[in-house]
């Protein structure tokens, strides 16, 4: 049964999360505070309801729950717990496979292990370019991505590189 109040709570947190990330000048300290507050609130949500899947909070609410957990980088144990819950939710079609792919890679990245789906990138400070975190079994990457509903790695990599270039352009314009 759809819990509109809970869905609104999650979507309100997402609005705050996205507002700080899309600001012209990103305040990293403020972003960290928002992420910590959202994580704390998501812990309470999960404690009370379990994983907020689409039957409980609708498609947008379920997307939002994943996004907030994806940004809980300061709490790897919470992300790992959510990963287990998300796996179960995907099996019963309460969550998207693509969300599972992203959170899987995020956890692997934080554990300094190779990612499975190639969703996580970093900025190489020496060359000022965007590179994927190491990926396991590159030969079968496209097959794994397809199985999770992800676009081809080549297209995704182009998109990430372009987003980085656009962000760099905005930074250069701001400091001229």
């Amino acid at each position: 049964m759809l819990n509109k109040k809970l869905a609104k709570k999650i979507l309100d947190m997402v609005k705050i999360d996205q507002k700080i990330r899309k600001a012209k000048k990103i305040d990293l300290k403020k972003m960290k505070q928002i992420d910590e507050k959202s994580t704390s609130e998501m812990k309470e949500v999960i404690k009370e309801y379990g994983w907020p899947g689409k039957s409980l909070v609708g498609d947008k609410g379920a997307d939002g729950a994943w996004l907030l957990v994806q940004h809980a980088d300061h709490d790897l144990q919470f992300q790992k717990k959510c990963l287990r819950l998300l796996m179960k939710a995907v099996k019963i079609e309460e969550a998207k496979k693509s969300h599972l792919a992203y959170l899987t890679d995020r956890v692997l990245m934080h554990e300094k292990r190779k990612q499975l789906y190639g969703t996580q990138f970093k900025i190489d400070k020496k060359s000022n370019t965007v590179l994927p975190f190491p990926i396991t079994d590159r030969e079968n990457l496209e097959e794994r991505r397809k199985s999770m509903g992800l676009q081809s790695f080549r297209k995704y990599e182009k998109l990430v590189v372009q987003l980085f270039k656009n962000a760099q352009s905005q930074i250069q314009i701001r400091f001229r």
Side-chain angles (χ1 to χ4, degrees), residues 30-123:
K30 180 82 171 155
M31 185 187 303
K32 183 177 186 265
Q33 291 170 345
I34 289 168
D35 288 346
E36 288 173 353
K37 185 175 191 286
S38 295
T39 299
S40 177
E41 290 182 31
M42 284 304 297
K43 284 180 177 181
E44 292 302 315
V45 166
I46 288 169
K47 183 178 179 182
E48 186 170 345
Y49 299 97
W51 183 260
K54 64 183 183 181
S55 295
L56 182 65
V57 294
D59 288 327
K60 288 183 180 178
D63 291 347
W66 161 77
L67 181 71
L68 296 168
V69 169
Q70 188 78 358
H71 292 162
D73 293 315
H74 61 280
D75 194 335
L76 178 59
Q77 292 310 310
F78 177 63
Q79 284 183 323
K80 288 169 78 169
K81 176 182 179 176
C82 290
L83 182 60
R84 291 187 297 275
L85 295 171
L86 189 56
M87 282 180 197
K88 291 176 185 175
V90 166
K91 284 182 184 173
I92 58 171
E93 298 181 357
E94 281 293 315
K96 294 178 181 174
K97 289 179 180 180
S98 60
H99 292 170
L100 180 58
Y102 275 87
L103 189 56
T104 297
D105 280 355
R106 193 74 155 233
V107 167
L108 289 169
M109 175 190 75
H110 286 301
E111 291 178 333
K112 303 205 182 333
R113 296 168 52 201
K114 291 182 177 182
Q115 57 180 327
L116 291 173
Y117 305 102
T119 64
Q120 303 300 301
F121 284 72
K122 61 185 174 183
I123 298 170

